[in-house]
Amino acid sequence: MKNLLGLVILGCILTSSVALAEPSLLVVFPQTNYQTSAQKIFFLGTAPPDGQVSINNKPITRSKAGHFSPSLPLQLGENLFTVRHRNQELQIRVTRIATVAELPQGLAFAKDSLTPATDIARLPGELICFSAIAPPNASVSVQLANQTVTLLPQPEQAQLPNNLAALTGQNQPHGQSSVGNYKGCITLQQPDTNSFSLIYGNNIISGAVVPDSSQEVDLGQPQFQLTLNGKTITQPGNGKVKILSRAELPVAEVTVDAGVARTGPNTDYSRLTPLPKGTRAAVTGKEGEWLRLDYGAWINSQETRTLPGAVPPQTIIRSVGYRQLPGVTEMAFPLQVPVPVSVQQSDRALTLTLYNTTAQTDIIRLDDNPLISRLDWQQETPERVKYTFNLKKAQQWGYKLRYDGTTLVLALRHPPKIGNTRRKLLANFKIVLDPGHGGKESGASGPTGYLEKDVNLAVSKLLRDELVKRGATVVMTREDDKEVSLAERQAIISQEEPAIALSIHHNSLPDDGDAEKTKGFGAFWYQPQAHSLAIFLQNYVVKNLGKPSYGVFWDNLALTRPAAAPSVLLELGFMSNPDEFEQVVDPEEQKKMAKAIAQGITEWFRSVN
Ligand SMILES: [Zn+2]
């Protein structure tokens, strides 16, 4: 999983030539001068099994082969660690950085604490909030468009750990002092009378004149003011505030194959259904380079172009068409303009939602179909139509969305037929195998410095051979130690349209993970169509190989996101666990693993058919 090339070999140069041949003390993680915000960190390395390894004079436990991965606490700031084995010594410096902005001393705002932190544009009537971190007992306010907004000290708010915390089971919120956290909001109304009113807290202030309501209004940069002990400073905010005009909302068109729609204005926010190329929508908000589209999702403006003079896209829909192709049913939705869409899979159903769409539908033809038992549709809101494809079987085999001009095409893939000979049960199956990482993208490292990319490839080749033995056609995303981008791997799955896609990895942990204890087999999925395969393989391998179970995770990963085929990512074991690493690199264990996964896939196919 993680990329760790912090190989530091110090001791050996100092000792005699005989010593050079002998394996020496090795720490692969952390590298010296490593920076982290974690409160503890694990050290991963190895040394000859005889003798003792100590860190800061404390002996540490090691595996039979001499590998180690103890976790050590970190103080804020610089931490110095001395790792010793016999006459070899390593010095490693790790700096722990604070996660909360430091409270400023004296008359100043905390660095980078003023928000909005970038240019924003909002609709009239929307809440706009400002915040700043400043010394306690100060008075803080914002000047905007010759109005003053008071920012008040805020009550304590919990801090959520980042998503990776789910991998170490430490994802509980932790308290965060909000001392010095000031916040205040305003709402801008823009009635026809060309005046607007400010509402913040419970007060309404009105009267200031907006030049022309049909135009976007630039309110300029908010000026943050801080008063403490009778002294005042003013600091401009980091972005401008604009009020969009409802009468002249910009219209954006998606220019990439799959525009990444998100729940908010940066990549921390979750992904929604990607928008096919050509999708158009009105822009109802901006934040930095992110655009909020009229149906609520955000997209990066770099994936769009603006259509000057266009009015907000709306369409009616009449009939829905379909055509049956070998292995696929294509549903065609003729529209006047490509509108935003979303897809949701559930058991025995797939729903497609069209936004900014109003139905004028009287007829839909859909004969008996190998996949679809019945199509239901509903005008959910005046501008949203939902289509529910009720399916004959629980397992779904992939879908694709595209716009052909203004017609949305949803291609639903049919189930592959299981082979009719006991030996070649996978005869009709194409499987994409993706050995994780490759080339200079090495993935995780084991305590000896052995790299994840190499064991991923070794086991994937063994798995390929096992699958081919069972009749499958296997397409590998790489067959040697080369770099293949995540986009290229996704494209292979989309082009090959396999029955399933499997990405093979070996795991490691975030800095504060407990590497000594954490081990086991893990399965990762994202699209509901991949869930049953993930669960099945997890149970099958854990049961049949007696492996510890690390767990099954819904995870937003490049190789679990493909919708074109059920795509699962497997973490076969931990590079960062000294004992499990021994099994990871053992060729016999690798063979057993490959066989178990291949048999698991075969049993799963039988179970879903
Ligand atoms: Zn990996």
Side-chain angles (χ1 to χ4, degrees):
M1 193 157 216
K2 227 174 8 175
N3 195 339
L4 301 169
L5 268 187
L7 297 178
V8 180
I9 308 171
L10 259 183
C12 60
I13 301 160
L14 302 173
T15 55
S16 70
S17 59
V18 180
L20 274 178
E22 189 194 304
S24 66
L25 174 59
L26 176 67
V27 173
V28 294
F29 178 77
Q31 307 162 6
T32 197
N33 300 326
Y34 185 75
Q35 289 205 344
T36 178
S37 59
Q39 298 179 8
K40 60 178 181 165
I41 193 160
F42 69 86
F43 277 65
L44 184 64
T46 190
D50 61 309
Q52 210 167 41
V53 171
S54 66
I55 300 183
N56 292 355
N57 300 319
K58 285 204 192 79
I60 58 171
T61 54
R62 300 203 283 156
S63 72
K64 251 191 356 293
H67 310 325
F68 53 79
S69 65
S71 287
L72 296 157
L74 293 172
Q75 315 306 321
L76 270 175
E78 203 171 274
N79 298 260
L80 191 59
F81 298 94
T82 305
V83 186
R84 235 185 239 109
H85 176 256
R86 293 197 178 290
N87 61 357
Q88 293 174 306
E89 192 178 285
L90 304 169
Q91 297 275 334
I92 296 173
R93 210 181 303 279
V94 177
T95 303
R96 179 181 153 200
I97 43 183
T99 51
V100 284
E102 236 166 275
L103 211 56
Q105 302 309 316
L107 191 62
F109 289 111
K111 192 168 170 298
D112 301 329
S113 75
L114 306 185
T115 71
T118 179
D119 292 351
I120 67 166
R122 294 287 186 268
L123 288 173
E126 244 189 290
L127 199 66
I128 297 178
C129 295
F130 304 90
S131 72
I133 295 176
N137 313 318
S139 91
V140 180
S141 64
V142 164
Q143 283 288 112
L144 179 69
N146 63 44
Q147 292 304 323
T148 303
V149 190
T150 304
L151 276 54
L152 299 170
Q154 295 300 301
E156 169 118 351
Q157 189 171 14
Q159 180 84 1
L160 298 181
N162 68 30
N163 274 295
L164 288 179
L167 299 174
T168 57
Q170 297 164 25
N171 56 346
Q172 299 73 27
H174 47 80
Q176 182 204 340
S177 138
S178 68
V179 173
N181 200 352
Y182 296 81
K183 203 168 186 176
C185 305
I186 55 173
T187 299
L188 288 167
Q189 301 293 349
Q190 221 186 19
D192 299 344
T193 58
N194 266 349
S195 70
F196 70 87
S197 53
L198 271 173
I199 301 176
Y200 72 94
N202 305 328
N203 308 328
I204 296 185
I205 302 186
S206 64
V209 173
V210 174
D212 174 335
S213 66
S214 69
Q215 287 198 335
E216 191 172 285
V217 179
D218 183 346
L219 299 177
Q221 243 172 331
Q223 301 297 320
F224 287 74
Q225 241 171 26
L226 168 62
T227 304
L228 191 63
N229 310 328
K231 288 206 181 84
T232 299
I233 59 155
T234 302
Q235 185 177 324
N238 302 321
K240 285 186 172 172
V241 176
K242 283 187 179 164
I243 304 297
L244 295 170
S245 149
R246 285 185 191 282
E248 273 201 24
L249 292 175
V251 171
E253 180 183 273
V254 175
T255 52
V256 294
D257 287 342
V260 180
R262 288 184 184 272
T263 55
N266 62 52
T267 55
D268 290 342
Y269 286 94
S270 298
R271 289 166 178 253
L272 299 165
T273 302
L275 298 175
K277 191 173 188 171
T279 301
R280 293 182 185 174
V283 175
T284 62
K286 297 179 185 173
E287 189 138 339
E289 55 177 10
W290 290 80
L291 307 176
R292 184 182 60 197
L293 303 179
D294 51 20
Y295 79 114
W298 291 79
I299 189 167
N300 190 303
S301 56
Q302 287 174 17
E303 298 192 325
T304 70
R305 68 186 179 114
T306 304
L307 301 175
V311 298
Q314 294 276 338
T315 182
I316 58 162
I317 182 160
R318 295 199 174 114
S319 65
V320 174
Y322 97 102
R323 66 184 179 149
Q324 193 143 325
L325 302 169
V328 175
T329 293
E330 282 201 344
M331 302 302 299
F333 300 84
L335 305 168
Q336 295 165 302
V337 60
V339 292
V341 296
S342 71
V343 170
Q344 181 61 50
Q345 289 181 314
S346 52
D347 271 353
R348 286 178 184 269
L350 178 143
T351 60
L352 170 77
T353 302
L354 300 181
Y355 296 89
N356 306 330
T357 303
T358 307
Q360 287 187 356
T361 304
D362 287 332
I363 306 170
I364 294 177
R365 175 182 171 186
L366 184 59
D367 306 349
D368 186 23
N369 178 282
L371 187 71
I372 304 164
S373 60
R374 192 185 68 247
L375 168 61
D376 301 331
W377 71 275
Q378 181 193 5
Q379 183 82 47
E380 268 194 319
T381 69
E383 292 174 346
R384 203 169 64 217
V385 183
K386 186 166 91 170
Y387 297 87
T388 303
F389 293 88
N390 302 289
L391 304 171
K392 289 183 175 172
K393 291 227 169 134
Q395 180 57 42
Q396 298 182 44
W397 298 93
Y399 68 87
K400 283 184 176 176
L401 274 177
R402 70 177 192 274
Y403 269 110
D404 283 354
T406 64
T407 295
L408 178 75
V409 179
L410 170 66
L412 299 167
R413 297 186 54 212
H414 295 175
K417 295 204 177 26
I418 195 143
N420 49 21
T421 64
R422 274 204 61 68
R423 241 168 41 75
K424 300 276 181 186
L425 271 168
L426 303 182
N428 301 321
F429 288 94
K430 186 196 291 186
I431 297 173
V432 166
L433 268 190
D434 170 54
H437 315 284
K440 54 181 192 301
E441 216 277 287
S442 64
S445 170
T448 61
Y450 183 72
L451 297 170
E452 181 200 347
K453 65 175 182 173
D454 300 325
V455 65
N456 292 347
L457 185 60
V459 178
S460 297
K461 285 183 173 173
L462 293 169
L463 176 53
R464 174 198 56 199
D465 301 345
E466 285 293 334
L467 291 167
V468 168
K469 249 192 260 168
R470 290 165 173 77
T473 308
V474 177
V475 177
M476 303 269 285
T477 57
R478 69 179 177 97
E479 304 215 31
D480 50 32
D481 180 22
K482 72 170 186 210
E483 205 162 323
V484 184
S485 74
L486 295 174
E488 285 169 296
R489 294 169 201 249
Q490 291 173 326
I492 290 170
I493 295 172
S494 181
Q495 276 143 27
E496 294 289 342
E497 295 190 339
I500 62 167
L502 220 53
S503 189
I504 302 295
H505 287 253
H506 289 79
N507 219 339
S508 188
L509 286 166
D511 298 352
D512 59 354
D514 186 344
E516 267 177 342
K517 290 209 185 72
T518 311
K519 53 183 172 182
F521 185 90
F524 296 73
W525 62 283
Y526 182 84
Q527 306 282 355
Q529 64 192 9
H531 179 254
S532 100
L533 177 61
I535 291 278
F536 193 98
L537 288 180
Q538 177 74 13
N539 294 341
Y540 192 90
V541 170
V542 166
K543 186 165 148 263
N544 288 279
L545 291 187
K547 286 276 177 202
S549 171
Y550 173 58
V552 176
F553 298 80
W554 177 89
D555 200 338
N556 168 24
L557 300 166
L559 272 294
T560 58
R561 279 199 304 269
S567 302
V568 167
L569 184 144
L570 297 177
E571 296 277 3
L572 309 189
F574 278 81
M575 305 288 283
S576 52
N577 180 277
D579 299 319
E580 194 157 71
F581 176 73
E582 289 306 304
Q583 295 176 4
V584 164
V585 294
D586 176 345
E588 285 316 306
E589 289 291 327
Q590 291 173 358
K591 282 191 194 120
K592 275 194 230 158
M593 179 62 80
K595 200 176 224 110
I597 296 173
Q599 197 50 34
I601 289 170
T602 311
E603 300 294 332
W604 176 74
F605 274 139
R606 220 204 302 257
S607 74
V608 293
N609 253 280

